[in-house]
Amino acid sequence: MPDAMVAASNSQATSGGTTHQVDVAVVGAGFAGLYLLQRLRKDGFTTVALEEADDVGGTWYWNRYPGARCDIQTIDYCYTFDPELESAWKWSEKYATQPEILRYLGFVADRYDLRRDIRFCTKVTAARWDQATERWLLTTDNGAAVSCRYYIMATGCLSSPKPPEIDGVKDFKGEVYFTGRWPHEEVKLAGKRVAVIGSGSSGIQSIPLIAEQAAHLTVFQRTPNFALPAHNGAATADRVALLEGDRAGYREQARWSGAGVPLPKQTVCSWQLSDPERRERFENAWAIGDLIFMSSQLWADQRVDVDGDALVAELFREKIRTIVKDPGIAASLIPYDHPFGAKRPCLDTNYYATFNRPNVTLVNLRQEPIKSIMASGIKTDKRTFDVDVIVFATGFDAMTGAIMAVHPIKGRGGKSLSDIWANGPQTYLGLTVTGFPNLFMITGPGSPSVLSNMVVSIEQHVDWVVDRLIAMRETGFTTLEATETAQHGWARHMADCSTLTLHRLANTWYTGANVPGKAQGVMPYTGGVGPYRSICNEVVSRGMVGFRLTGPNIAEQCNDGEVVRLQPDVRLVLNMLEEMKLAPIESLGAQGARDFVAEFNADRPAGRPVGEVVDGTLPGTDGPLPYRLYRPATPGPHPIVVYFHGGGWVLGDQQSDDPYCRDMCRRSGMIFVSIGYRHAPEHRFPTAAEDGYVATRWISEHAGELGGQPGSVLVAGWSAGGNIAAVICQLARDRGGPHIAGQLLVCPITDCTFDRPSYNDNATGYFLTRSLMYWFWDIYCSPADRIDPRVSPLRGKLAGLPQAFVVTCEFDPLRDEGIAYGDALAAAGVPVEQLKARGHIHSSFTMVDVVITGVSGRVQMAEALRRFAGLPPERKQGDEGVRPARTATPHKIAAAAE
Ligand SMILES: Cc1cc2nc3c(=O)[nH]c(=O)nc-3n(C[C@H](O)[C@H](O)[C@H](O)COP(=O)(O)OP(=O)(O)OC[C@H]3O[C@@H](n4cnc5c(N)ncnc54)[C@H](O)[C@@H]3O)c2cc1C
């Protein structure tokens, strides 16, 4: 229906005056709302912004507490959409104060004359989609309702302050302030007894300044935080030089970075650095005073690995102990309940040192909870504190609070958003919700939002949304809505991403844990700003995958599907490989392929340390065979796993699978012996299998000398190595030993039939290709030999084989033959478990250093090996990454992970 007709009918439909008709209604006039207005107007849409406050600024309008500043360096925390705007404004400090940021946003509003389209002092109270007119109707607490084709919520992630959960606030006779709603007039604290409740970012910023003014300050702390000194001052010279040297390049790098700040990806792992080297890196970061630097530039495994992250946390704790003179107070200020970075670290100026002041008292609410607030002050279960002022720095109902506060938001069929989100927010891309056509959220739950430099994320969202509106206008579509499949897929992708970082291990406002009764789950997208941007772009380049578009004179378009089915890190690896435009391995010849693999592996970080790594040789049929033994750091003797590397019987060696063997040795607590069996074409079928058998028998016979448990061994292998391990089990059964207690087959080659669906579905694009497999087979064995069970174990007799754990990956040509082998083993009465790894490729589990989402699979493999060896289960902290941390209600995102 044409908009003019809609306008006519709608103006009569609402009570309380004429409805305001626009193409697009924007709610909020912070960073997001202002940029939206500028773009929408520039691109010819009629628009209005509705803002509860009486001026622009959003966060920076409301949060006027002492010490309020940004915690991303200001040269990064600003608009970049207009180079002229950039040169028209000069920031005075490295981290600008709230008044300066507010002035900046006012300057932006004036420069683009935005205020004329903003209705201030107007709160949107409810929103309803009218299917007949295909428009949203927004009701407000002040003035006319608004009818719009598109409804964009730029309502902010941290704009809904959380009310205090303490009885008696109303009884208090003194002054009460909320950091998130600080008065505009000066608040005089001099000579007063002040209490601050809360020690998150706002508390940490305001406490040192309040302490300077107050007669006495009592800080009530429930959860200690990690805080880093800001070292504020002039903008950092080296960053400014980088920016001014290549402004466009600098900004572009930020857009494709992990957190929206142009910093490189660290490649060195913590275990590659000595203690003094780690300390030096930490001290350097401490001196720089930059959260993103501290959170990403120390070593590659911080924030993704519990052990790597714990090293940072411990260095932080040392700092706190050094700064805070009273050891008891220091102990209370030291965080132990969350990994560093899992909760947003804070940036401070003299925070810890403030607790050395004689006029400051710290109350640890973990030891003495607040019982109530009384007329004269605050009562804990041990003491009473008489105060004149209470400052609540208790944070926000983050990410969903402001969206849900518009109530109800009724979409298609009258469904209410609060019902649909009862178990946690569900979105597609954090931008849209199924059942709510033409509704967009800027930095909504499911987007990088609060885990990023938010201005970078806001600009990306606004550009993406407005570009879609333009495209719809050009094609004649009038509605756009995410499909169920797409939204469900996004929840799964979010859950996959959440295993990439340690956010899942902490109860924080990122997970909704700070608000009683709120559904729990990691709400922001943890996959990074750059990857997120590339996914949004991919949605468009693949024909709006996951969206249904309709219009009055155009056929409906619905390219249903999930935009990402790969694990997030696997996707990154594949994208990186594609960019490298490598020649197909099979085009290099056997030696060329070996040289390539060796060069490729040389650039990868060394695997993790284990107790001991020993290279040796064992007697093979035609001479010595090399092996590499990995011994756990724990006292032996340990069970022994004889391991066979991958590489299609042609490539690979002990070095290529070294990180995997180290990882599995650590996780299983077993000796791994990686065998250097001979390769084709020099040594064709059945050499690899026979070498493997001879090696397994020798190791079994010499287990004691190797420090292992005598009696039986286990076998394991990946790809062609999985083939060899499977074959050895059959040979050992038929040749009277050795005794094999269990077999771990990771993406094994099991058969020479190439017509199973996975061979076609995953023929190209997932690293191991069909044509590479053909090449391997041709080099290793003749067509006549291929049906021999010593190369196609699926064709052998399977009864009486050792118990098995068979791993297959969704996007692997070998997937179906691995599953067929697992099924056939089970049918033959062999105890077998299968791990069908969703979103993974053939090499996912052996790319230990880059595919973090492979951890949960390797944990399960290690558990299986321990079971086979009769050992009790062993779980390391952090391996619970398999399952996100949860409390009460299961969150939809968390549920999707399972
Ligand atoms: C103290 C503090 C410091 C921060 N520092 C940083 C930082 O250094 N770096 C960083 O990246 N991020 C920081 N943030 C996050 C910050 O919120 C964002 O960077 C950014 O300002 C968000 O802009 P926005 O326009 O999306 O939302 P907001 O700035 O929150 O604006 C949303 C606006 O919507 C209005 N609104 C909401 N609901 C309604 C309704 N129903 N009707 C009418 N109006 C409504 C609100 O009044 C508000 O003005 C900080 C947040 C806080 C609280």
Side-chain angles (χ1 to χ4, degrees):
M1 189 183 294
D3 283 6
M5 279 169 64
V6 173
S9 58
N10 263 8
S11 60
Q12 285 132 33
T14 55
S15 58
T18 318
T19 306
H20 190 157
Q21 300 284 340
V22 283
D23 297 329
V24 189
V26 172
V27 187
F31 265 104
L34 293 180
Y35 181 42
L36 266 166
L37 274 188
Q38 191 275 344
R39 265 230 58 188
L40 288 165
R41 208 195 268 164
K42 177 165 120 336
D43 289 302
F45 293 95
T46 59
T47 180
V48 65
L50 305 158
E51 169 56 62
E52 184 183 353
D54 65 9
D55 202 355
V56 299
T59 291
W60 305 103
Y61 172 93
W62 297 108
N63 290 268
R64 296 165 187 247
Y65 59 84
R69 288 177 186 269
C70 56
D71 59 14
I72 300 275
Q73 295 199 29
T74 339
I75 60 164
D76 298 309
Y77 184 66
C78 56
Y79 291 120
T80 64
F81 65 85
D82 179 354
E84 285 180 18
L85 169 64
E86 285 200 56
S87 38
W89 183 268
K90 266 258 162 308
W91 293 105
S92 68
E93 289 185 89
K94 178 179 168 191
Y95 297 105
T97 57
Q98 171 271 329
E100 186 174 9
I101 303 173
L102 187 60
R103 273 200 307 282
Y104 169 74
L105 290 169
F107 170 79
V108 171
D110 292 340
R111 186 178 175 89
Y112 303 100
D113 187 19
L114 301 178
R115 282 194 177 84
R116 73 177 151 89
D117 281 332
I118 306 175
R119 267 171 56 190
F120 292 110
C121 303
T122 305
K123 185 172 182 169
V124 174
T125 50
R128 181 170 56 80
W129 170 251
D130 179 11
Q131 188 63 43
T133 57
E134 293 182 341
R135 290 179 76 88
W136 282 95
L137 184 72
L138 312 188
T139 39
T140 69
D141 68 348
N142 181 14
V146 176
S147 164
C148 54
R149 170 81 61 204
Y150 303 105
Y151 166 31
I152 310 185
M153 299 191 80
T155 43
C157 298
L158 300 172
S159 56
S160 180
K162 192 172 78 80
E165 306 146 26
I166 309 166
D167 289 340
V169 180
K170 287 202 185 84
D171 301 335
F172 181 59
K173 294 280 181 274
E175 301 160 52
V176 173
Y177 300 105
F178 293 85
T179 50
R181 288 287 181 274
W182 200 260
H184 290 200
E185 59 281 3
E186 192 194 349
V187 174
K188 295 201 170 96
L189 300 173
K192 294 182 182 163
R193 296 162 303 169
V194 182
V196 173
I197 300 180
S199 57
S201 190
S202 307
I204 283 176
Q205 286 186 334
S206 59
I207 282 165
L209 293 177
I210 295 175
E212 282 174 14
Q213 297 173 42
H216 195 91
L217 169 65
T218 311
V219 176
F220 294 81
Q221 171 201 273
R222 186 163 63 185
T223 314
N225 269 304
F226 292 101
L228 171 74
H231 302 304
N232 206 9
T236 322
D238 54 346
R239 287 279 273 280
V240 173
L242 276 177
L243 173 65
E244 288 178 353
D246 175 12
R247 189 170 286 272
Y250 182 97
R251 296 300 188 206
E252 198 56 13
Q253 203 190 330
R255 289 180 190 122
W256 292 97
S257 66
V261 172
L263 288 170
K265 208 169 166 47
Q266 256 305 319
T267 49
V268 178
C269 296
S270 59
W271 62 85
Q272 296 173 274
L273 300 163
S274 64
D275 261 354
E277 285 169 332
R278 285 197 294 262
R279 193 171 289 275
E280 191 185 331
R281 284 178 176 229
F282 177 80
E283 290 293 346
N284 177 43
W286 187 270
I288 287 173
D290 183 308
L291 279 185
I292 308 284
F293 190 94
M294 179 60 100
S295 308
S296 65
Q297 300 296 301
L298 299 186
W299 36 86
D301 49 323
Q302 70 176 128
R303 295 193 64 218
V304 299
D305 176 84
V306 172
D307 295 340
D309 196 78
L311 293 164
V312 189
E314 205 34 55
L315 288 163
F316 250 96
R317 293 182 189 119
E318 267 183 38
K319 280 283 181 204
I320 301 171
R321 284 186 206 107
T322 316
I323 300 168
V324 181
K325 294 199 181 113
D326 181 320
I329 298 176
S332 288
L333 288 167
I334 291 176
Y336 276 104
D337 69 342
H338 61 278
F340 171 73
K343 190 177 173 125
R344 191 181 178 94
C346 306
L347 208 58
D348 77 277
T349 302
N350 296 329
Y351 176 64
Y352 293 119
T354 297
F355 293 91
N356 295 331
R357 293 175 67 104
N359 70 331
V360 175
T361 305
L362 177 69
V363 179
N364 184 341
L365 297 180
R366 292 269 157 91
Q367 289 164 2
E368 49 174 318
I370 294 180
K371 292 212 76 154
S372 65
I373 293 181
M374 315 158 309
S376 63
I378 298 170
K379 188 174 158 63
T380 68
D381 68 358
K382 291 194 179 139
R383 293 178 276 178
T384 299
F385 298 86
D386 288 338
V387 294
D388 307 305
V389 179
I390 301 179
V391 174
F392 287 98
T394 39
F396 300 91
D397 181 355
M399 306 213 58
T400 53
I403 297 172
M404 305 280 258
V406 177
H407 184 71
I409 299 178
K410 290 207 163 179
R412 207 163 27 79
K415 289 219 170 98
S416 164
L417 188 69
S418 49
D419 290 343
I420 285 179
W421 282 11
N423 286 336
Q426 302 171 61
T427 68
Y428 182 36
L429 305 170
L431 280 160
T432 59
V433 185
T434 307
F436 295 80
N438 292 4
L439 165 66
F440 297 94
M441 294 164 300
I442 304 299
T443 65
S447 76
S449 60
V450 288
L451 291 182
S452 65
N453 170 359
M454 286 197 60
V455 188
V456 169
S457 290
I458 284 169
E459 288 191 337
Q460 185 265 340
H461 268 191
V462 170
D463 288 337
W464 193 91
V465 170
V466 179
D467 288 346
R468 300 292 67 72
L469 302 193
I470 295 171
M472 288 170 74
R473 185 172 61 191
E474 284 167 358
T475 45
F477 289 115
T478 46
T479 76
L480 169 148
E481 185 186 335
T483 67
E484 291 271 2
T485 317
Q487 185 161 287
H488 182 72
W490 192 249
R492 236 174 34 183
H493 176 61
M494 286 275 295
D496 291 342
C497 285
S498 80
T499 65
L500 288 178
T501 67
L502 303 179
H503 293 295
R504 67 187 187 279
L505 302 182
N507 291 325
T508 64
W509 57 264
Y510 293 140
T511 65
N514 66 327
V515 178
K518 188 164 172 172
Q520 308 273 300
V522 180
M523 289 186 287
Y525 178 79
T526 53
V529 164
Y532 175 82
R533 177 180 292 266
S534 88
I535 292 169
C536 290
N537 292 351
E538 190 178 328
V539 166
V540 179
S541 67
R542 284 172 52 196
M544 292 302 284
V545 62
F547 283 107
R548 176 172 289 107
L549 292 115
T550 66
N553 302 312
I554 185 166
E556 177 179 304
Q557 174 193 311
C558 182
N559 181 8
D560 201 5
E562 297 171 33
V563 61
V564 186
R565 290 181 55 209
L566 287 164
Q567 290 292 331
D569 41 8
V570 171
R571 179 176 180 274
L572 290 185
V573 168
L574 290 177
N575 285 349
M576 195 184 72
L577 290 172
E578 197 180 310
E579 272 171 29
M580 289 163 83
K581 302 214 178 310
L582 300 170
I585 291 180
E586 59 272 30
S587 69
L588 304 175
Q591 193 50 49
R594 287 173 194 158
D595 294 344
F596 165 77
V597 170
E599 198 185 317
F600 191 79
N601 287 330
D603 285 343
R604 288 167 61 188
R608 280 183 184 255
V610 294
E612 185 186 28
V613 179
V614 184
D615 284 327
T617 56
L618 56 85
T621 326
D622 301 316
L625 292 175
Y627 70 78
R628 180 171 290 175
L629 182 147
Y630 302 84
R631 195 186 311 286
T634 50
H638 306 94
I640 296 184
V641 180
V642 186
Y643 178 77
F644 301 95
H645 64 77
W649 308 287
V650 177
L651 319 168
D653 51 26
Q654 295 87 300
Q655 190 54 36
S656 61
D657 287 24
D658 177 82
Y660 177 75
C661 288
R662 285 170 184 268
D663 193 77
M664 290 301 294
C665 167
R666 293 175 88 244
R667 289 184 192 284
S668 64
M670 297 182 183
I671 291 175
F672 263 62
V673 186
S674 177
I675 306 300
Y677 58 89
R678 286 173 294 169
H679 290 152
E682 295 85 349
H683 305 280
R684 285 167 58 89
F685 171 82
T687 309
E690 293 297 348
D691 278 1
Y693 176 70
V694 168
T696 306
R697 201 180 55 204
W698 186 86
I699 288 167
S700 161
E701 286 163 0
H702 296 81
E705 293 154 47
L706 296 170
Q709 284 176 3
S712 61
V713 292
L714 300 100
V715 293
W718 167 57
S719 192
N723 171 270
I724 295 168
V727 169
I728 287 168
C729 290
Q730 297 189 12
L731 296 180
R733 177 200 55 199
D734 299 341
R735 295 177 183 177
H739 182 256
I740 296 175
Q743 47 179 327
L744 166 64
L745 312 178
V746 185
C747 306
I749 303 169
T750 69
D751 193 20
C752 55
T753 301
F754 305 122
D755 56 4
R756 293 187 177 88
S758 60
Y759 244 87
N760 292 319
D761 298 348
N762 306 320
T764 58
Y766 301 110
F767 197 47
L768 177 67
T769 62
R770 181 173 58 189
S771 96
L772 181 57
M773 276 312 302
Y774 288 161
W775 185 71
F776 284 144
W777 273 99
D778 287 344
I779 292 181
Y780 184 50
C781 81
S782 69
D785 287 334
R786 288 180 189 179
I787 51 168
D788 190 311
R790 283 176 302 165
V791 69
S792 289
L794 186 55
R795 293 171 187 251
K797 190 181 127 217
L798 302 182
L801 289 177
Q803 55 192 327
F805 192 81
V806 182
V807 181
T808 49
C809 289
E810 185 178 3
F811 296 100
D812 180 1
L814 306 185
R815 178 194 68 207
D816 293 343
E817 66 194 72
I819 292 173
Y821 195 62
D823 292 346
L825 285 173
V830 177
V832 58
E833 273 178 72
Q834 295 201 41
L835 167 61
K836 297 174 185 172
R838 181 178 53 73
H840 281 290
I841 58 172
H842 187 68
S843 341
S844 278
F845 292 111
T846 48
M847 287 185 163
V848 171
D849 46 325
V850 285
V851 180
I852 311 292
T853 53
V855 168
S856 66
R858 288 196 301 276
V859 169
Q860 292 174 62
M861 294 177 211
E863 281 175 354
L865 288 174
R866 289 181 69 84
R867 264 196 318 278
F868 296 161
L871 299 179
E874 185 185 67
R875 246 175 197 273
K876 278 171 59 100
Q877 204 223 337
D879 291 344
E880 62 280 15
V882 184
R883 226 159 264 126
R886 278 205 265 129
T887 48
T889 335
H891 195 290
K892 279 281 160 63
I893 289 172
E898 303 185 358

